Amino acid sequence: MTGSFSLSAAENPTVAVMEAGYGASNLDVRYINCEVAPEKLAGAVSGAIAMGWLGFNCSLPHKEAILEYLDDLAPSARLIGAVNTVVIKDGRLIGENTDGKGFVEALKTIENPQGSRTVIFGAGGAARAIAIELALAGAQKITIVNRSPERGKKLAQHVDSQTEADCSFADWTAGYSIPEDSSLVVNATSLGFYPNHEQTLDVDFSSFTPGSIVADVVANPPKTRWLQAAETAGCVSLTGIGMLVNQARVNAQLWTGETLDAEVMHRALNKALGLA
Ligand code: NDP
């Protein structure tokens, strides 16, 4: 058994993606969404161990609270300082963070991030995971742009000091102009997420460099206003769907050792989001 611990849990589309992937690979494994309040996290963890679960995902509000129950942390989870996936092996709990790994796997279907010059908007959990994984995958330069400067500066300093990448912070001035040499630009804020899908980033869209890759972490809707503007400017777009599907595949690999069918999982996610 596998699943997700979060509050609330009902809207999480990962259950459809995982179940479709397991089913297509004929694995005798299930995935369930569990609503777990903060004060019940210890009990939920004990329950998963007692019932022989392979592991579980942690979503809001447990991504940092789970740390105190773990026996060990994978290197990138340690750098990110948050865990979204727990692997249970021989009664030991290992914390992983697969948000950024899912992003990098999706990106690699278009281009290897090695040597990339990246701008990341946002400094929350998703931005942090993506910045660390891009740095570990060999990104050359990373610029963090965030509404709250303190949070943005803190992330930039952390990535710069803990990885080989050259990472700095830039103020998010009105009509922000993307540096011309950027090969990858990522919206890692929650701007554009349904039902606020009319919102988008305060960026000068004429500063997009044609041919560069523009990505969004927002999976619903997949084609955000941000990505529409990027495509109009001649950029290659990468939706949040790829990140979500690849993250689920990395999780399944960690839990079962099997590589699940991306196509089947993609279709299941589209259906769960009402897009198919
Ligand atoms: P956090 O709450 O940790 O961070 C939110 C970020 O968005 C912060 O940088 C915040 O800036 C910024 N932000 C929010 N509102 C605004 C605004 N009005 N203007 C400018 N900036 C704003 O959230 P997460 O990082 O966990 O999640 C961010 C998004 O990523 C969500 O939409 C989530 O669904 C998505 N996501 C997608 C995944 C996938 O697999 N596709 C996986 C994980 C997350 P500030 O610091 O100033 O508050």
Side-chain angles (χ1 to χ4, degrees), residues 121 172 186-189 191-192 199-205 216 226:
F121 290 92
W172 195 338
V186 186
N187 171 32
T189 75
L191 281 165
Q199 287 184 341
T200 194
L201 288 77
D202 186 3
V203 162
D204 176 5
F205 292 142
D216 207 325
W226 167 249

Side-chain angles (χ1 to χ4, degrees), residues 99 122-127 146-148 151 172 188-191 193 217-219 240 243-244 247:
D99 279 334
N146 194 49
R147 175 180 62 179
S148 311
R151 202 176 182 194
W172 195 338
T189 75
S190 42
L191 281 165
F193 194 77
V217 294
V218 170
M243 176 178 174
L244 216 153
Q247 187 196 125

Side-chain angles (χ1 to χ4, degrees), residues 148-252:
S148 311
E150 282 318 308
R151 202 176 182 194
K153 281 179 194 163
K154 202 169 155 204
L155 175 58
Q157 275 160 11
H158 180 69
V159 176
D160 193 60
S161 65
Q162 300 298 316
T163 73
E164 299 288 314
D166 170 12
C167 187
S168 57
F169 172 77
D171 275 315
W172 195 338
T173 46
Y176 181 86
S177 185
I178 295 160
E180 208 181 328
D181 64 350
S182 309
S183 53
L184 172 66
V185 186
V186 186
N187 171 32
T189 75
S190 42
L191 281 165
F193 194 77
Y194 186 84
N196 300 316
H197 51 288
E198 290 303 327
Q199 287 184 341
T200 194
L201 288 77
D202 186 3
V203 162
D204 176 5
F205 292 142
S206 70
S207 66
F208 278 134
T209 302
S212 62
I213 300 173
V214 177
D216 207 325
V217 294
V218 170
N220 185 20
K223 212 38 96 58
T224 53
R225 282 187 59 199
W226 167 249
L227 292 185
Q228 288 171 25
E231 286 180 1
T232 302
C235 301
V236 180
S237 69
L238 181 64
T239 71
I241 294 267
M243 176 178 174
L244 216 153
V245 166
N246 279 286
Q247 187 196 125
R249 292 177 79 223
V250 175
N251 295 343

